[in-house]
Amino acid sequence: QVQLVESGGGLVQAGGSLRLSCAASGSIFSINGMGWYRQAPGNTRELVAEITRGGSTNYADSVKGRFTISRDNAKNTVYLQMNSLKIEDTAVYYCNARMRPAISSIEYTYWGQGTQVTVSS
């Protein structure tokens, strides 16, 4: 079964840093785009950052210069380095990936279960 497993969330003070990881597991034929989304209470889910298979990146304006998305294709893992965290960064962060399972000829969008990031002070 193909799935995305997230880690790295937690509680951090404003100005601090966190690194989120998301590893795809299972029998996977290929992974194309990967990304991170977030949803704060009372808000809609928004794109934080995305990265193509070739490494091209795109960021929400609110995180540019503070967050960095990267991926390790050999490990089927995408990362989100979050620096200079602000209270408004508090949200549930969701990993996203476009993947084709080995048993399928169709590419699907997969989502992680979400990991809570809380920025205090």
Side-chain angles (χ1 to χ4, degrees), residues 79-118:
Y79 307 93
L80 185 67
Q81 178 66 47
M82 304 185 292
N83 298 326
S84 301
L85 283 162
K86 304 175 181 179
I87 293 176
E88 50 263 47
D89 293 319
T90 296
V92 177
Y93 284 70
Y94 297 90
C95 177
N96 165 276
R98 290 285 294 177
M99 299 189 289
R100 177 186 165 184
I103 61 172
S104 177
S105 62
I106 303 173
E107 187 177 83
Y108 301 92
T109 298
Y110 291 82
W111 292 90
Q113 79 287 351
T115 184
Q116 178 70 46
V117 172
T118 302

Side-chain angles (χ1 to χ4, degrees), residues 15-71:
S17 299
L18 282 175
R19 189 193 192 209
L20 306 183
S21 298
C22 175
S25 63
S27 186
I28 302 167
F29 180 82
S30 64
I31 304 175
N32 288 313
M34 305 185 82
W36 291 93
Y37 291 71
R38 69 186 181 187
Q39 187 166 15
N43 213 337
T44 57
R45 187 172 299 186
E46 65 174 353
L47 173 70
V48 177
E50 58 186 356
I51 184 168
T52 69
R53 182 171 50 194
S56 297
T57 59
N58 181 48
Y59 297 90
D61 288 341
S62 60
V63 307
K64 284 183 178 178
R66 299 189 298 119
F67 291 9
T68 302
I69 188 171
S70 61
R71 64 190 289 172

